[in-house]
Amino acid sequence: MAVLDRDSADAQSLRSTHSLDGVKEDDEFSPLLSPQREGEGARLASVVSPLTEENWEEGPQGGTGEESKSNWYLFLLTITVGGLQIAWSVELSNGSPFLLGLGLSKSLLALVWIAGPLSGTFVQPYVGIKSDRCRIPWGKRKPFMIGGAAATSISLMALSWTRNIVSGFLSLFGANPASRGVQITAIVWAVLFVYILDFSINVIQAAIRAFIVDCAPTHQQDDANAWAVKTTGIGNIVGYLFGYINLPKHFPFLGDTQFKCLCAISVIALFGTLAASCAAIQERDPRLEGDLPPYQDGFIAFFKNMYRSVRRLPTQISRVCQVQFAAWIGWFPFLFYITTYIGEIYVEPFFAENPDMTKDEIDQTWEHATRVGTFALLIWGITTFAASVILPFLVVPAFEPPPRPSATPLTPTSATTPTYFHLPSSTSSSTPKSPSRSLRRRWHRLTNLSHHLRVPNLTLRRLWLFSHILFFFCMWLTFLVRSVAGATILVGLVGIPWAITNWAPFALIAAEISHRDAIRRGVLPPQVPSTNTLIGGEDGNVDGEVQIADQAGVVLGIHNVALAAPQVIATLASSVIFRALQKPRGSVGDESVAWVLRFGGLCALVAAWLTMRVGEEADGGKGKGGRAEISGVRAQN
């Protein structure tokens, strides 16, 4: 009997040893402990206690698997957007006057700006697919960001020095710099590099947007895209501020014209912000994502894959793209012709007083008018930045971080930890408060106070709806505006819907992509059956085509098609309006640009109606379909 008792005690001791060593399920015999699953010990051990951590309330999100990032991290993540915006602001504010100064007509100018829509339609989806499949250890987005920045810089400098390059090269063959042949060659050169510039900008833009989605947690996608809008606003302010200053006078070493100096500054800003972001932000190693799903390469296969990806778009993302299609028919005329619109208001009194101006006098008048228009865009940029800072505090976020489990000193953590409860150790109680921890706690309390500024029921979708209506009214107020001051105020007011346009759709799409990607990687649990069906199918295995359609690069590329393709419609419509209403350069009473802007305002009304069909998490899935429909895939034929 004693032998049996001793054997039983030895067996019980052995079972206890196995249990403490982490043997799973079948090796755990305690009736008080449930079988422990793989990784559960690490998850339970992450629960913190107020007696072991000074800032225990600011710890990682219990059980979410996604750590909240600081505002400094989000700023560095999105800072390249600001550097790129400086380059784009140079093209927007000075591109049209520069090409018109070379001798290009307004109707042909509209066809030149079709380069943006074409590049956005084809380049961004292609870059998205290629970057999704990139397996370079230091990231799958950074190679495209660096390559796009290099091509953008070269094209900017080649465009700004068009006259010098063309006339200098042709003079080697005895050509007269003032001849018609040299002028046509300069126009062809400039148009060529406008296309190269737009293609290059779309490469880096596609990579940056996917970079933000990849590196920001799901519950901070709204914050990350809000920071992108803020850096965009800073880029606008810097770009338009330099555009208003007489740069050749203050920085003659950058060039002898305003456009040359602006292009040089934009190149410096682009590479500076890109270097800061790439050095500070580390991407996930794409080699850890497993084998690539099957994919057919080639020109025809590209369009086939795009078509399949469009069909498999989630309902939420599909509806956002529909809104963008209508909205950007309206935004395209404003972005490219607003400087010309204000310039025409400025030059009209001079042309009325002196109808017989020489070509040089007309050029000098228009050069000053361009700076006046750039100042209006500076006000627009300041308004955009202010709106991007204030509006995120007023809007109910689409995704909230999941609540942490409550923890007290006697909350059980795990049997695999040295102490079963979070009791204070001899060292932690004597550790003095860290100044950085105290500062973080103060910042945490300040951000909690900002939650009280939120307007109840003001969701991102409703704010986006308001922006379309406001843009419509601003465009049709051009009937009443007859002064430069009034036009400047009007342009500044448009900065509010522009800030929302650069934030709301990207935040809605990014949150959806990130949420689904986190479910696929097992970081977040699936919430509804339709989401699980999309991510893994009925048996939980990821379908190759669904996985391709869910990648950030592919989805953002399709979204950019929804932005770029309608610009072709806007370009053709603008060309028709210019052909019917434009007057010769230097004439009085040219209303063609104003009517192009009014046409864009009508398209904003269509976008407002389509926005009512979009749903979002914070709105309880309202729109025309609940959360289950929004998270699912559209029906396949």
Side-chain angles (χ1 to χ4, degrees), residues 448-486:
N448 284 338
L449 289 176
S450 67
H451 294 173
H452 298 289
L453 299 176
R454 293 175 182 171
V455 179
N457 299 321
L458 181 59
T459 62
L460 205 53
R461 177 178 64 87
R462 290 169 181 165
L463 189 67
W464 196 20
L465 172 65
F466 164 76
S467 71
H468 299 312
I469 298 174
L470 179 59
F471 181 72
F472 163 77
F473 280 112
C474 289
M475 293 302 95
W476 280 78
L477 282 175
T478 54
F479 277 113
L480 305 177
V481 173
R482 290 288 180 256
S483 66
V484 173

Side-chain angles (χ1 to χ4, degrees), residues 539-607:
D539 57 356
N541 295 325
V542 178
D543 178 76
E545 290 187 3
V546 173
Q547 185 176 354
I548 293 173
D550 251 7
Q551 292 288 316
V554 174
V555 174
L556 291 175
I558 295 172
H559 172 244
N560 197 73
V561 172
L563 273 65
Q567 295 178 35
V568 177
I569 301 174
T571 299
L572 296 176
S574 300
S575 183
V576 171
I577 294 174
F578 283 142
R579 173 69 67 177
L581 300 178
Q582 75 173 349
K583 295 183 179 181
R585 198 164 188 252
S587 301
V588 179
D590 192 341
E591 288 277 328
S592 57
V593 177
W595 276 106
V596 168
L597 297 177
R598 293 160 194 160
F599 164 74
L602 289 177
C603 297
L605 278 185
V606 179

Side-chain angles (χ1 to χ4, degrees), residues 30-108:
S30 172
L32 300 179
L33 292 176
S34 60
Q36 191 178 97
R37 296 182 177 87
E38 186 72 27
E40 189 174 5
R43 181 180 68 82
L44 292 175
S46 64
V47 181
V48 294
S49 163
L51 294 183
T52 58
E53 291 288 342
E54 174 68 25
N55 56 339
W56 69 285
E57 291 181 332
E58 305 167 26
Q61 304 297 326
T64 68
E66 290 192 301
E67 180 185 357
S68 296
K69 302 298 184 181
S70 65
N71 284 323
W72 178 246
Y73 177 93
L74 297 178
F75 170 72
L76 291 174
L77 177 64
T78 59
I79 190 174
T80 311
V81 180
L84 181 63
Q85 186 63 30
I86 295 176
W88 202 44
S89 67
V90 171
E91 184 183 15
L92 288 179
S93 61
N94 290 266
S96 294
F98 176 75
L99 293 174
L100 290 173
L102 292 177
L104 201 67
S105 64
K106 283 184 180 178
S107 56
L108 290 177

